[in-house]
Amino acid sequence: MAAGRRPAPARRRARPRDRPRRALGHAFVDGHVVMRSGSVLRSRDAVAAGHVIGWNQRATWFQRRAGLVALAATTAGGKGQVHVPDVPVDAAIALAEAATPGLVGQFLESR
């Protein structure tokens, strides 16, 4: 090192802006409904599709304006419900139909 020169500061790894979003999500994988939520306290719940006996979709005024719903898969055992907050309406319906074909579709209006 040459006299009078300071070492270059170590580069910090860039953190992607969407990092909190990667902790959120839902999927229907191998016969299981998987729901992830939380940015600080993360949780992942999975339930077999055959154990889902119903679906609840709720939306606050703010969620309706943003086109989102809070989705919950109702089960007979365990916690009773598996929640995922802030899901786009179309994605919530698609997840429910994939996991339990015909259960939600019978209540949808054709547009």
Side-chain angles (χ1 to χ4, degrees):
M1 177 188 280
R5 292 190 68 194
R6 299 171 109 190
R11 288 188 158 215
R12 296 171 73 188
R13 251 181 66 187
R15 292 179 66 172
R17 292 182 183 190
D18 66 343
R19 184 171 219 164
R21 290 186 197 155
R22 291 189 303 183
L24 302 174
H26 57 276
F28 181 64
V29 181
D30 295 329
H32 288 80
V33 178
V34 181
M35 299 185 184
R36 296 172 57 184
S37 64
S39 59
V40 176
L41 297 174
R42 296 181 181 172
S43 68
R44 180 183 305 147
D45 292 319
V47 63
H51 296 206
V52 175
I53 59 173
W55 294 93
N56 291 323
Q57 292 183 8
R58 297 176 189 253
T60 64
W61 183 80
F62 297 104
Q63 286 174 319
R64 283 192 297 273
R65 289 189 49 102
L68 303 172
V69 295
L71 182 67
T74 305
T75 63
K79 297 181 200 176
Q81 288 186 334
V82 178
H83 296 273
V84 63
D86 299 334
V87 180
V89 175
D90 294 336
I93 293 170
L95 176 64
E97 275 296 306
T100 53
L103 183 63
V104 175
Q106 63 184 330
F107 299 106
L108 298 177
E109 294 178 359
S110 59
R111 294 181 188 182

